[in-house]
Amino acid sequence: MKVLVVGAGQMGGGIAHVAALSGDEVTLLDREQRFVDGAIATMRKNLDRGVEKGRVTPQDRDAALGRITPAAAWREFDVDVAIEAATENEELKRDIFRKLDASTPERTILASNTSSISITQLAAVTKRPERVIGMHYMNPVPVMKLVEIIRGIATAPQTYETIRALAVQHGKTPVEARNYPGFISNRILCPMLNEAVFALQEGVGTVESIDTVMKLGMNHPMGPLELADFIGLDTLLAIMEVLVEGYGDPKYRPCPLLREYVDAGWHGRKTGLGFYDWRGGERRARTDLTASGVPAFSGDGTAAPSGASAQAPAGVANGAR
């Protein structure tokens, strides 16, 4: 099958990886060549690791890399399926779907890797709503086995069957979810992560204690704040905004501390700073913040030295929501 992947970030690169390894001819598109080159370099590194561990043969690695065609500009794409994997921003995704509608043959299925946005709304900007569907991979794509499949209100049964078969070909277990904000996965997961940020903001526990409780007490492989850093705090915020707008229920309101981290450019692992310090490629505890996750301040209102003991601002420490 010929597959176009739009977006060469963490998700798009991972989708291109599993598609090419499964035998698909893949075109990987992003707005700049450096993003595509970076995704292919990451793919090569991950496939090399697979060879070292005996999970991938050298021949399969080379064949997969040979099936990737880079692209850094819009043109006509003769593909069977196009998978959009851009940032979780509805207007951006709508724009991409308009371009896909104009740049691919009428037969092409247009799929979105969105983790929360309505498939019906994305389909409405195209002339082929019956061939628009959600195909939500999990991160990291080469490792995680699940793909959520979401039909819009006009999605044709054949579109669903084709995408379900493609997910199986990619080595995934497809699960169908209804077209509600957040679908199944993020309607359940993201409020939990957001509540962990509230617990941090209110001083219920430190970053390390919150994550340790969930790992050892609930048998989660990764604590919620570490997972939020891994997903991307900007992505978590975007999903929470979709949930609170879509359901109109204040229980989904994003934590103010989460919004402040995103405003500061602390998006987690991908930017080097989040609830943990990821600079240098390894996770370390942050020493520049108080137990409530905010910068430390001395008694005169100036920033305290890194690691100094200080109290959080009253509105945060007292749990203002």
Side-chain angles (χ1 to χ4, degrees):
M1 187 172 287
K2 294 180 180 179
V3 174
L4 169 66
V5 179
V6 182
Q10 195 170 34
M11 294 303 295
I15 294 167
H17 174 134
V18 297
L21 193 60
S22 76
D24 292 331
E25 295 293 331
V26 179
T27 301
L28 182 58
L29 171 67
D30 210 310
R31 65 182 186 275
E32 294 185 28
Q33 186 65 42
R34 62 190 177 95
F35 297 138
V36 180
D37 292 343
I40 293 174
T42 298
M43 195 182 314
R44 183 182 298 277
K45 181 179 68 175
N46 290 338
L47 286 168
D48 285 343
R49 187 181 299 121
V51 171
E52 291 170 5
K53 294 183 177 182
R55 294 197 293 257
V56 179
T57 68
Q59 294 78 13
D60 287 344
R61 172 199 59 197
D62 296 343
L65 291 169
R67 296 187 189 105
I68 303 288
T69 299
W74 285 95
R75 54 177 172 80
E76 295 294 319
F77 294 101
D78 184 13
V79 294
D80 302 300
V81 175
I83 304 173
E84 169 274 313
T87 303
E88 195 71 356
N89 177 288
E90 185 171 341
E91 285 308 311
L92 174 61
K93 290 181 183 290
R94 284 173 179 260
D95 183 58
I96 289 172
F97 268 77
R98 291 186 189 99
K99 290 176 178 176
L100 286 172
D101 199 34
S103 303
T104 59
E106 187 178 340
R107 74 175 194 281
T108 303
I109 293 173
L110 308 182
S112 176
N113 185 55
T114 180
S115 53
S116 61
I117 295 168
S118 168
I119 300 305
T120 298
Q121 291 178 4
L122 296 178
V125 304
T126 76
K127 298 175 182 177
R128 62 182 94 179
E130 72 282 1
R131 285 189 289 280
V132 175
I133 195 166
M135 194 178 190
H136 179 210
Y137 292 81
M138 305 294 136
N139 185 32
V141 179
V143 176
M144 303 300 283
K145 295 298 184 184
L146 176 67
V147 170
E148 275 185 310
I149 300 179
I150 307 97
R151 308 187 208 211
I153 197 167
T155 303
Q158 185 56 48
T159 299
Y160 170 79
E161 293 300 334
T162 299
I163 291 303
R164 188 182 187 284
L166 183 62
V168 171
Q169 178 194 314
H170 290 175
K172 308 304 179 185
T173 299
V175 174
E176 186 174 7
R178 293 285 301 276
N179 187 42
Y180 284 94
F183 314 132
I184 296 172
S185 59
N186 283 330
R187 182 173 178 177
I188 296 170
L189 173 66
C190 290
M192 183 193 76
L193 304 185
N194 188 56
E195 192 62 27
V197 185
F198 269 121
L200 176 66
Q201 174 181 279
E202 295 169 9
V204 177
T206 65
V207 170
E208 292 78 9
S209 63
I210 291 168
D211 277 356
T212 299
V213 164
M214 296 305 291
K215 286 189 289 186
L216 301 186
M218 293 17 173
N219 203 29
H220 291 194
M222 185 181 294
L225 298 175
E226 182 182 0
L227 179 56
D229 270 0
F230 195 84
I231 291 170
L233 304 188
D234 55 332
T235 300
L236 174 59
L237 177 60
I239 293 169
M240 293 308 301
E241 288 175 333
V242 168
L243 292 177
V244 74
E245 179 181 350
Y247 292 111
D249 190 329
K251 74 179 182 180
Y252 295 114
R253 66 201 180 283
C255 178
L257 184 60
L258 172 63
R259 191 179 300 280
E260 189 166 14
Y261 272 44
V262 173
D263 289 344
W266 299 347
H267 295 177
R269 186 171 179 265
K270 61 188 174 185
T271 60
L273 288 174
F275 295 111
Y276 291 91
D277 186 339
W278 298 92
R279 291 172 297 187
E282 295 183 1
R283 188 198 72 187
R284 300 186 303 277
R286 292 189 63 167
T287 59
D288 58 331
L289 303 176
T290 69
S292 294
V294 297
F297 287 89
S298 62
D300 61 3
T302 61
S306 176
S309 176
Q311 295 297 316
V316 173
N318 293 335
R321 291 196 180 200

